Amino acid sequence: MKRPSSRDVALRAGVSQATVSYVINGERKLRVSPETRERVLRAIEELGYQPNAAARALRTQRTQLVALLTPDLANPFYPILAQAIQDVLQEHSFELLIANSRGIASQERHFLDTVVQRGVDGAIVVAWHLDHADVDRVLQAGIAFVSVGSDFGHELVCAVASRDQRGAAEAVRYLIRKGHRRIAHIAGDQSTPPGRLRLEGYCRAMEAAGLTVDESLLVYGDFTRGSAAPLARRLLAQDVPPSAIFVANDTMAVDAMLSLQELGYQVPHDIAIVGYDDTPEAQFVRPQLTTVRQPIAPAGRAAADLLLKQILSAPIQARRIIFDTELVVRGSA
Amino acid sequence: MKRPSSRDVALRAGVSQATVSYVINGERKLRVSPETRERVLRAIEELGYQPNAAARALRTQRTQLVALLTPDLANPFYPILAQAIQDVLQEHSFELLIANSRGIASQERHFLDTVVQRGVDGAIVVAWHLDHADVDRVLQAGIAFVSVGSDFGHELVCAVASRDQRGAAEAVRYLIRKGHRRIAHIAGDQSTPPGRLRLEGYCRAMEAAGLTVDESLLVYGDFTRGSAAPLARRLLAQDVPPSAIFVANDTMAVDAMLSLQELGYQVPHDIAIVGYDDTPEAQFVRPQLTTVRQPIAPAGRAAADLLLKQILSAPIQARRIIFDTELVVRGSA
DNA sequence: CTGTTAGCGCATTCAG
DNA sequence: CTGAATGCGCTAACAG
């Protein structure tokens, strides 16, 4: 019932604990004679010995663990990101600890505590409410750190990001080119950078085209499924309804589109819709969603690479990787 | 740069380590005088002290960590399950370590090794290739264990499951009632229990209705997106094509339906489609997918509850929780 | 090539 | 109510 320790193995093999450790961690040089090694291996086998990770971590100060913070696993964006990260980490035999903040500030901070307490080797974070001091705490603890999406105004953090404002503006310009003038925006949570930046991109593009951003064209969701449907309906119920909507992410865009279609609106004829992210759901709906593609998997891989570089080599200096977005024109606009 | 330890806190507060430990783990009885406690708390604050989880785990043999094994995060089924589990665990301040097996046997085993080595307090597992001995290894290590979907023929494991065969049969009977006679099946990976059971359910229902299961009606996918489209096309390209398809999960069903629609088939008029799982994507497609609902979130919560019961109380005896499935009739069949 | 020794940071006896 | 001492299981110096 009790787990065997390396001492048990040593006893059984008639060697010292150190020797057991050597054969397990096989320093490049085979410091152990073949026959001793053989005996130890057999003892390990017979006892079903598994090294104790906590003890090892305590001793080595390394955990082979990487933590990932995500705002919402139900948004397909994040599983895709997580998969990509995991693929990279796996090659280097790091495990991934995934946590969920639900976009709540306190949970984001709690995650940072966890990261420090567990002494994970590195953390990849998608967070919206952290500040310079929060991040600093982690950096001070000597933990490798990569942010996805924001740099928290901290000059030392590695970050991978894309140009939200630019992507949003491109989407809106496209709608303008197609002749739309009353273009509404279902914005994301304004306490988050992507929420604010995409709204800003929308405003910029409108103003650049000499279109006024009417208050009646602006509504605010929270990026989750279900938050957009009522907003879309309200938008369309106005006296002078918009002819197009730019939605801050695909999850909400799909929600909005389906609910409008239920009301009998023809997309894109009655109402054009553009989303953001290009998650798989964009291709499930009919018409397929015109949207701004973010390279999710490449971003995940880049983040993991950046992190591994910090963990494995000396702490590199801060690096930013910016991905370009791309407007994908499908049927909805 | 270096993290403070409880000794540093003790020094600064002018007390012993033991006292620090007492104020942190606050035995229900306040064994520490208020003023001492206050001093310690201040020292903790000032140093930014965070207990070291590895040391704690080594000492207490508990990690406050639960591990979850999942075959494929890209299938919305699993994020939903994970969310539900995490919600329950969070209330008891357990962290969740999510891993991905991609349905590969070796990875499933590797996960079990991880679980033992890290000494997690419990593991929830969705696995398809484990056997009695594998599970036994974990149980022997005294780790709480709950399986989702299968019990690995082990009398001691707690499991939550649903009746795959029954659910599949119900779907097929529904198609038969609607007058379909040539009903095809896009099966899941036959090396997995759900793949086999749903196929079996299909066969049973067909035979019970006196319909022969034609080999030309049976094709095999692997539960992932993309695997079903070519199969669906092949099915429909036959001389005497089926009038309905029962697909082993929604991910494949959506894939099949969209690809058939692209070819000009009208669903459900030309070809009826029924899926399995009732993941959100079933409601995104048009027509919406008729499917067999599994209560994913309740299953997740039940699994987490079962696990917590094992961790917190004495090791309870094995318990099986079986959820009923429900046919949800929408537009696709 | 192998054994001995000394902690890593914490929680927990046992004395005082 | 508090302090000193012990060891969880492992690895890294250092001896031999």
Side-chain angles (χ1 to χ4, degrees):
Chain A
M1 193 63 193
K2 195 172 157 308
R3 281 178 62 192
S5 73
S6 71
R7 177 154 61 221
D8 300 325
V9 175
L11 252 41
R12 181 168 191 117
V15 299
S16 76
Q17 272 188 68
T19 305
V20 175
S21 180
Y22 283 139
V23 351
I24 289 173
N25 303 325
E27 288 295 322
R28 279 262 59 88
K29 289 293 171 201
L30 306 178
R31 304 170 63 83
V32 182
S33 73
E35 59 257 30
T36 309
R37 164 187 224 74
E38 193 49 47
R39 232 160 358 118
V40 171
L41 254 18
R42 204 171 45 232
I44 287 177
E45 179 71 19
E46 290 167 359
L47 293 169
Y49 167 73
Q50 308 259 115
N52 178 319
R56 195 176 254 179
L58 187 57
R59 183 66 238 230
T60 61
Q61 310 287 20
R62 312 204 58 238
T63 52
Q64 293 293 104
L65 237 193
V66 165
L68 169 67
L69 180 67
T70 265
D72 176 18
L73 277 181
N75 183 332
F77 187 97
Y78 297 105
I80 294 173
L81 188 77
Q83 274 283 17
I85 291 170
Q86 209 164 39
D87 287 346
V88 175
L89 293 181
Q90 196 158 281
E91 289 167 20
H92 298 260
S93 56
F94 280 87
E95 227 97 22
L96 187 62
L97 171 70
I98 303 178
N100 227 236
S101 68
R102 305 171 162 274
I104 299 170
S106 64
Q107 305 242 27
E108 292 181 354
R109 296 223 163 72
H110 174 73
F111 172 80
L112 262 29
D113 289 342
T114 288
V115 153
V116 174
Q117 292 186 9
R118 298 223 182 265
V120 300
D121 294 335
I124 298 176
V125 157
V126 185
W128 295 329
H129 307 288
L130 300 179
D131 59 29
H132 190 284
D134 293 318
V135 174
D136 218 48
R137 207 151 44 90
V138 177
L139 260 32
Q140 288 296 327
I143 291 169
F145 188 87
V146 172
S147 166
V148 175
S150 164
D151 60 15
F152 309 113
H154 196 300
E155 52 296 333
L156 292 180
V157 323
C158 289
V160 328
S162 66
R163 311 179 194 282
D164 277 26
Q165 195 178 337
R166 199 158 156 279
E170 188 181 357
V172 174
R173 278 197 303 271
Y174 168 76
L175 288 169
I176 294 170
R177 267 205 314 281
K178 296 276 274 188
H180 293 284
R181 286 300 170 267
R182 277 190 69 74
I183 302 171
H185 179 41
I186 298 182
D189 185 340
Q190 289 302 298
S191 72
T192 73
R196 288 192 298 266
L197 290 168
R198 289 171 200 176
L199 168 58
E200 214 167 301
Y202 160 82
C203 293
R204 290 270 171 93
M206 292 291 278
E207 284 158 11
L211 300 173
T212 55
V213 176
D214 194 330
E215 275 304 311
S216 69
L217 292 176
L218 254 178
V219 292
Y220 300 91
D222 65 0
F223 284 131
T224 68
R225 172 147 48 245
S227 73
L231 299 174
R233 289 185 178 151
R234 193 195 314 159
L235 243 22
L236 277 267
Q238 297 176 100
D239 290 343
V240 192
S243 66
I245 311 178
F246 168 55
V247 191
N249 75 356
D250 284 354
T251 295
M252 290 198 297
V254 165
D255 192 40
M257 184 163 100
L258 293 178
S259 94
L260 258 22
Q261 287 175 327
E262 250 158 43
L263 259 41
Y265 290 100
Q266 295 298 316
V267 178
H269 180 265
D270 300 335
I271 180 78
I273 294 181
V274 177
Y276 203 106
D277 283 345
D278 196 24
T279 52
E281 52 199 334
Q283 298 181 58
F284 291 166
V285 290
R286 290 298 123 105
Q288 294 188 13
L289 197 61
T290 293
T291 188
V292 179
R293 171 179 300 160
Q294 300 212 70
I296 311 177
R301 284 192 292 271
D305 282 336
L306 230 44
L307 196 78
L308 283 174
K309 221 164 275 172
Q310 291 180 53
I311 294 175
L312 301 176
S313 344
I316 56 170
Q317 49 211 6
R319 265 191 66 191
R320 307 285 149 93
I321 296 181
I322 309 288
F323 283 97
D324 274 323
T325 56
E326 175 195 359
L327 182 71
V328 180
V329 177
R330 299 204 181 93
S332 72
Chain B
M1 195 61 196
K2 194 171 157 308
R3 282 178 61 190
S5 72
S6 69
R7 175 154 61 221
D8 301 322
V9 175
L11 251 42
R12 179 165 192 121
V15 300
S16 77
Q17 273 187 66
T19 307
V20 175
S21 180
Y22 282 139
V23 350
I24 291 174
N25 304 325
E27 290 293 320
R28 54 187 162 287
K29 286 296 169 199
L30 307 178
R31 305 170 63 84
V32 182
S33 72
E35 58 256 31
T36 309
R37 165 187 224 74
E38 192 50 46
R39 242 174 334 132
V40 171
L41 253 18
R42 205 172 46 232
I44 287 177
E45 179 71 20
E46 290 168 358
L47 292 169
Y49 167 72
Q50 310 256 117
N52 178 317
R56 198 175 250 179
L58 189 57
R59 184 64 238 231
T60 61
Q61 309 288 20
R62 311 203 59 236
T63 52
Q64 292 295 106
L65 238 194
V66 165
L68 169 67
L69 180 66
T70 264
D72 177 18
L73 277 181
N75 183 332
F77 187 97
Y78 298 105
I80 294 173
L81 188 76
Q83 274 284 16
I85 290 170
Q86 208 164 38
D87 287 347
V88 174
L89 292 180
Q90 197 159 280
E91 289 167 20
H92 299 259
S93 57
F94 280 87
E95 228 96 23
L96 186 63
L97 172 69
I98 304 178
N100 226 237
S101 68
R102 305 171 161 274
I104 299 169
S106 64
Q107 305 242 28
E108 293 181 352
R109 298 224 161 71
H110 175 72
F111 172 82
L112 262 28
D113 289 341
T114 289
V115 152
V116 174
Q117 292 187 9
R118 297 223 182 266
V120 300
D121 294 335
I124 298 177
V125 157
V126 184
W128 294 328
H129 307 288
L130 300 179
D131 59 29
H132 190 284
D134 293 318
V135 173
D136 218 49
R137 208 151 44 90
V138 177
L139 260 31
Q140 288 296 328
I143 291 168
F145 188 88
V146 172
S147 166
V148 176
S150 165
D151 60 13
F152 309 113
H154 195 299
E155 52 297 334
L156 291 180
V157 323
C158 289
V160 329
S162 66
R163 312 180 193 281
D164 277 26
Q165 194 180 328
R166 200 156 155 279
E170 187 181 357
V172 174
R173 278 198 303 271
Y174 168 76
L175 288 170
I176 294 170
R177 266 203 315 281
K178 296 276 273 188
H180 294 283
R181 287 298 170 267
R182 277 190 70 74
I183 302 171
H185 179 42
I186 298 182
D189 186 341
Q190 289 302 299
S191 72
T192 72
R196 287 192 298 265
L197 290 168
R198 290 171 200 177
L199 169 58
E200 212 166 303
Y202 160 82
C203 293
R204 291 273 172 91
M206 292 290 277
E207 283 158 11
L211 300 172
T212 55
V213 175
D214 193 330
E215 275 303 312
S216 68
L217 293 176
L218 253 178
V219 293
Y220 299 90
D222 65 0
F223 283 131
T224 68
R225 172 146 49 245
S227 73
L231 299 176
R233 290 185 177 149
R234 193 196 314 160
L235 243 22
L236 278 265
Q238 297 175 101
D239 290 343
V240 192
S243 66
I245 311 179
F246 168 55
V247 191
N249 75 357
D250 284 354
T251 295
M252 290 198 296
V254 166
D255 192 40
M257 183 162 102
L258 293 178
S259 95
L260 257 23
Q261 287 175 326
E262 251 157 42
L263 258 39
Y265 291 98
Q266 296 297 317
V267 178
H269 180 266
D270 300 334
I271 181 78
I273 295 182
V274 177
Y276 204 106
D277 283 347
D278 196 23
T279 52
E281 53 199 335
Q283 298 181 59
F284 291 164
V285 290
R286 291 296 122 106
Q288 294 188 15
L289 196 63
T290 293
T291 188
V292 179
R293 171 179 299 160
Q294 301 212 66
I296 311 176
R301 284 193 291 271
D305 282 335
L306 230 45
L307 196 77
L308 283 173
K309 220 164 275 169
Q310 290 180 53
I311 294 175
L312 301 176
S313 344
I316 57 171
Q317 49 212 5
R319 263 191 66 192
R320 307 286 150 92
I321 296 183
I322 309 287
F323 283 98
D324 273 323
T325 56
E326 174 195 359
L327 183 71
V328 180
V329 177
R330 299 204 180 94
S332 73

